[in-house]
Amino acid sequence: MSKGLPTRSENYSEWYNELVKRADLAENSPVRGCMVIKPYGFSIWEKMQRALDDMFKDTGHSNAYFPLFIPKSFLSKEADHVEGFAKECAVVTHYRLKNDPNGGGVIVDPDAKLEEELIVRPTSETVIWSTYKNWIQSYRDLPLLINQWANVVRWEMRTRIFLRTSEFLWQEGHTAHATQAEAIAETEQMLDVYATFAEEWMALPVLRGIKTPNERFAGAVETYCIEALMQDNKALQAGTSHFLGQNFAKAFDVKFQDKEGGLEYVWGTSWGTSTRLMGALIMAHSDDSGLVLPPKLAPIQVVIVPIYRDEEQLAKISDRVNGLVKELRKKGISVKFDDSDAYKPGYKFAEYELRGVPVRLAMGMRDFENGTVEVARRDTKTKETLPFDGIVDHIANLLEEIQQSIFNKALAYREANSFRADSYEEFKTTLDEKGGFIYAHWDGTAETEDKIKEETKATIRCIPLDAPEEEGTCIYSGKPSSRRVVFARAY
Amino acid sequence: MSKGLPTRSENYSEWYNELVKRADLAENSPVRGCMVIKPYGFSIWEKMQRALDDMFKDTGHSNAYFPLFIPKSFLSKEADHVEGFAKECAVVTHYRLKNDPNGGGVIVDPDAKLEEELIVRPTSETVIWSTYKNWIQSYRDLPLLINQWANVVRWEMRTRIFLRTSEFLWQEGHTAHATQAEAIAETEQMLDVYATFAEEWMALPVLRGIKTPNERFAGAVETYCIEALMQDNKALQAGTSHFLGQNFAKAFDVKFQDKEGGLEYVWGTSWGTSTRLMGALIMAHSDDSGLVLPPKLAPIQVVIVPIYRDEEQLAKISDRVNGLVKELRKKGISVKFDDSDAYKPGYKFAEYELRGVPVRLAMGMRDFENGTVEVARRDTKTKETLPFDGIVDHIANLLEEIQQSIFNKALAYREANSFRADSYEEFKTTLDEKGGFIYAHWDGTAETEDKIKEETKATIRCIPLDAPEEEGTCIYSGKPSSRRVVFARAY
């Protein structure tokens, strides 16, 4: 590390960019809007993938793979859908390069033009529903519960690493059901899976809610979402689950014979989370010294740094530490013993702090002789010297405590930054002075929502699923409202 | 199943296509040359991925992710490389669609043309080496050992599901080293990893060898490969590992400061395997009744089918079977108890046979009363009635035996279909009458290789790594040769 990170209070945005770079998470690639996810960043993403994938399989889903390309005509079949995605997509028009006969180097071969242009998938509803048409004939073929891990491309003009990139990695679930009720239950179940993952793995408390029609997925009847609050008091949508009604079934003519012999359109859902979660994870917990990772997603949960003057001392410490490493691994704890002599302990401490390793142990000759070890927590930046005996159990408990503690801190932060506003003035003042989640009454119209967005840049993040009924009046129009919705400026 | 598969002897190619379709492995998509990998097929691929990924990590590699798109100018930087990939690639030229003002529906927006065309990666050496330039300054940054799981696109004109598709899934390793010797050792190590995977997981014996310059990867100094023999006596390349020399380091100016302070170009390797392995797996072991899966890659290793007349009988059988299911799972064996009443046992038997489930258990009332169970092996199509007591250990051993037995059978097949030819006449006769691997002397020239290919459609699959020195004369030119190479017609 050459010098410290910018602080969050100085420049939150720069702090984030620098942290992503210095902690070796990702970087911008030479290809506009596309990122390179570096090994350390990718290893966190792999842990997320594994956990989510297990949850999808536990709820009965299987993985499959559908084509990267979508014929232009497919995208056009669902009217809202093409409207939503046509404006920013990568279009393949040719299938060959050649040497310029005029010496201009390698050029696109004009003779190799595709009959129909192909769109690099921005999402796969269309190509998947065109396939489901062949897979679904009878109620016996339902439900069809499929997930895909894939890359997708949306040609974003203003990109931000992890949060908004032209190419990103994600999973997209696409299910088909015999009844509306079952499809809605699936949509809600997957929202729960996302919320559970966010809270139990990412230590990220989330609101569960429904999007307004304005913010709905292009082609959905209802969009459910989870929303989290970042440390700069902006909101971040961390996952969405869509009830598609029969929209895609109708667009692709997917019908099934029901038990009574009638022919009905199939009901659908889709749901997705992406590498955007990496951005959420970083922004929710990290501090001015670097990343803070919840233990369940940390590629290295415990690092052990020996402090020694010569080979003999190192040999003694290593001898003791090697046994500890084995014991920790036996408990399923990932541990790194960093005995490289390329860097000094102080440098290593800073480096592992930057990378968010939850627990750091250090052992010098005094510890060795006293039968102790220094245990430092990344999240609280506290340390204590403890007896070496019994340290394995202590660490196992400590990791659980850290996981919970990071969640509690984020929850307390969100609670301290959730406000009510009962007038438009109060709303604007709160938004400008504090930010955060603002619970306010809204008249339910797109016009009001648009006006507020235009005037304040705040959007309705969601209508919380657990919002109590409460008579009130819209902060903007003064018209009656029966529950508060959540406003925020958002990523 | 409506009717049986075509047989291998009748029509090998149709047998393969039908098997892929009926066993629910994959299908052609509406997008030219791209496939849909169905859940059952994908679950086999997932097992392959997991096993390979573990082996990559055990040899010190980390996963990362690089962009889908490659700027046209990047592809052009390594002369052989662009020559090899320019002729069949998907080219992105625009980033937006719009509604045709003349009412022609959704069209490509001519105002949204990219300044520089982007190629959908056919392989990622160029974009990765352009990134490595920033990651590598000193010998301390080496070796850099990275792998990526990704989709790639090569615009194939004649496609064949799993074997040759326009889009396919693969992994591509890209490593950078300080010395030539280290890079060659890495290339060879990864060939070993592939060979071990093929033999121990896929039960597929492979030849390890080196490609002739004609068959080398575009941009490599040396290409190593593993080659397998299919049941129609055609060869299939199942993985390649390339020593890149300093070619990409020079093309992208990637230098490092060595320990003595000098500035040197970095040495590189790349290595890949793809969903083509699925094709190899299917074609190597399956029979006229369907898929034969080696237990280590079977999504379901054991299926249990109850045979019953009424609910009471089913309850009794289930009660006994449920305990067995638990015991098997405890041993890490994947098991399905198919007690659905939608289909009759005979139908289920055929279905699981088609899908290649290695072991099928059946229990009827007679078995229940006698304390026995019927055990059927998919690979040999044999069955026996065994005591229920001790069946768990029997199955665990049986799965290992089946894994080994499938390998042994494939090895015996390859040995029976490996021939020597000492004249061109003998070579052609063997090729036409038998096919298989033909060991023959070759003069080492591209001209001879081309002629033989032109006249017989046989290519040199590899120069085996373990080929003994043996004086001889080229079957085509009569010129001297010091070792035999392996010819075959190939996929």
Side-chain angles (χ1 to χ4, degrees), chain A residues 296-450:
Chain A
K296 282 187 177 183
L297 294 176
I300 303 168
Q301 294 175 311
V302 177
V303 65
I304 308 175
V305 178
I307 301 166
Y308 59 94
R309 262 199 305 268
D310 53 40
E311 284 300 317
E312 194 192 338
Q313 291 188 351
L314 176 60
K316 281 183 180 167
I317 294 170
S318 298
D319 190 49
R320 188 168 297 172
V321 165
N322 286 334
L324 173 60
V325 167
K326 265 192 212 130
E327 289 298 310
L328 289 170
R329 291 204 176 127
K330 224 185 275 172
K331 285 205 171 241
I333 295 169
S334 64
V335 52
K336 175 175 175 177
F337 176 38
D338 184 354
D339 61 352
S340 83
D341 59 359
Y343 301 102
K344 297 240 185 284
Y347 180 94
K348 292 179 184 175
F349 288 3
E351 199 59 28
Y352 293 114
E353 195 170 68
L354 182 63
R355 286 166 167 259
V357 176
V359 173
R360 183 192 77 218
L361 305 185
M363 189 185 286
M365 282 318 287
R366 182 177 298 183
D367 289 308
F368 180 81
E369 277 150 20
N370 294 345
T372 58
V373 61
E374 186 190 83
V375 181
R377 260 176 87 153
R378 173 64 187 90
D379 64 328
T380 52
K381 300 185 81 169
T382 50
K383 56 187 181 184
E384 52 185 337
T385 296
L386 294 174
F388 190 79
D389 281 350
I391 199 68
V392 172
D393 287 335
H394 178 80
I395 291 172
N397 293 333
L398 183 59
L399 288 170
E400 282 178 32
E401 190 185 324
I402 293 172
Q403 181 81 27
Q404 190 58 47
S405 170
I406 294 175
F407 175 82
N408 292 346
K409 190 178 168 193
L411 183 61
Y413 181 85
R414 186 185 79 185
E415 283 175 357
N417 289 281
S418 293
F419 308 102
R420 289 169 154 242
D422 290 315
S423 72
Y424 196 43
E425 276 317 302
E426 191 184 358
F427 177 81
K428 286 190 287 189
T429 309
T430 306
L431 193 64
D432 287 338
E433 289 177 6
K434 296 172 176 163
F437 284 141
I438 306 180
Y439 288 73
H441 280 283
W442 163 62
D443 63 18
T445 70
E447 295 70 38
T448 296
E449 192 181 1
D450 287 340

Side-chain angles (χ1 to χ4, degrees), chain B residues 187-421:
Chain B
T187 315
E188 291 174 350
Q189 170 185 256
M190 298 323 290
L191 188 79
D192 278 347
V193 164
Y194 288 157
T196 303
F197 173 75
E199 300 194 333
E200 293 183 4
W201 289 80
M202 297 176 66
L204 185 66
V206 290
L207 299 182
R208 306 172 195 210
I210 292 176
K211 287 286 183 197
T212 62
N214 262 7
E215 302 279 332
R216 220 174 254 160
F217 175 74
V221 172
E222 196 83 273
T223 288
Y224 295 68
C225 63
I226 53 171
E227 295 280 331
L229 192 63
M230 303 295 101
Q231 293 179 76
D232 61 348
N233 276 1
K234 283 171 76 176
L236 187 143
Q237 174 182 299
T240 48
S241 184
H242 315 293
F243 168 58
L244 303 175
Q246 296 173 314
N247 289 352
F248 286 90
K250 285 180 179 164
F252 290 91
D253 193 32
V254 187
K255 290 179 184 165
F256 74 103
Q257 192 153 42
D258 65 21
K259 281 188 185 167
E260 290 73 41
L263 212 55
E264 297 286 343
Y265 283 111
V266 170
W267 298 85
T269 86
S270 66
W271 27 276
T273 54
S274 72
T275 35
R276 185 160 224 246
L277 290 178
M278 291 287 295
L281 184 73
I282 297 160
M283 289 206 304
H285 305 311
S286 301
D287 63 23
D288 296 343
S289 306
L291 213 53
V292 172
L293 289 175
K296 282 187 176 182
L297 294 176
I300 303 168
Q301 294 174 311
V302 177
V303 65
I304 308 175
V305 177
I307 300 166
Y308 58 95
R309 262 199 305 267
D310 53 39
E311 285 300 317
E312 194 191 336
Q313 291 188 351
L314 177 60
K316 281 183 181 168
I317 294 170
S318 297
D319 190 49
R320 187 167 298 171
V321 165
N322 286 335
L324 173 60
V325 167
K326 264 191 212 132
E327 289 298 309
L328 288 170
R329 290 205 176 126
K330 223 184 275 171
K331 286 205 171 241
I333 295 169
S334 64
V335 52
K336 176 175 173 178
F337 176 37
D338 184 353
D339 61 352
S340 82
D341 59 0
Y343 301 102
K344 297 241 185 286
Y347 180 94
K348 291 179 185 176
F349 288 3
E351 198 61 26
Y352 292 114
E353 195 169 69
L354 182 63
R355 286 166 168 259
V357 176
V359 173
R360 183 192 77 217
L361 305 186
M363 189 185 287
M365 282 317 287
R366 182 177 298 182
D367 289 308
F368 181 81
E369 277 148 21
N370 294 346
T372 57
V373 62
E374 187 190 84
V375 181
R377 262 176 86 151
R378 173 63 186 91
D379 63 327
T380 53
K381 302 185 80 170
T382 51
K383 56 188 181 183
E384 53 184 336
T385 296
L386 295 173
F388 190 78
D389 279 352
I391 199 68
V392 172
D393 286 336
H394 178 78
I395 291 171
N397 293 333
L398 184 58
L399 289 170
E400 281 178 34
E401 190 185 323
I402 293 172
Q403 181 81 28
Q404 190 58 48
S405 170
I406 294 176
F407 175 82
N408 291 347
K409 190 178 169 193
L411 183 60
Y413 181 86
R414 186 185 78 185
E415 283 174 357
N417 289 282
S418 294
F419 308 102
R420 290 171 154 240

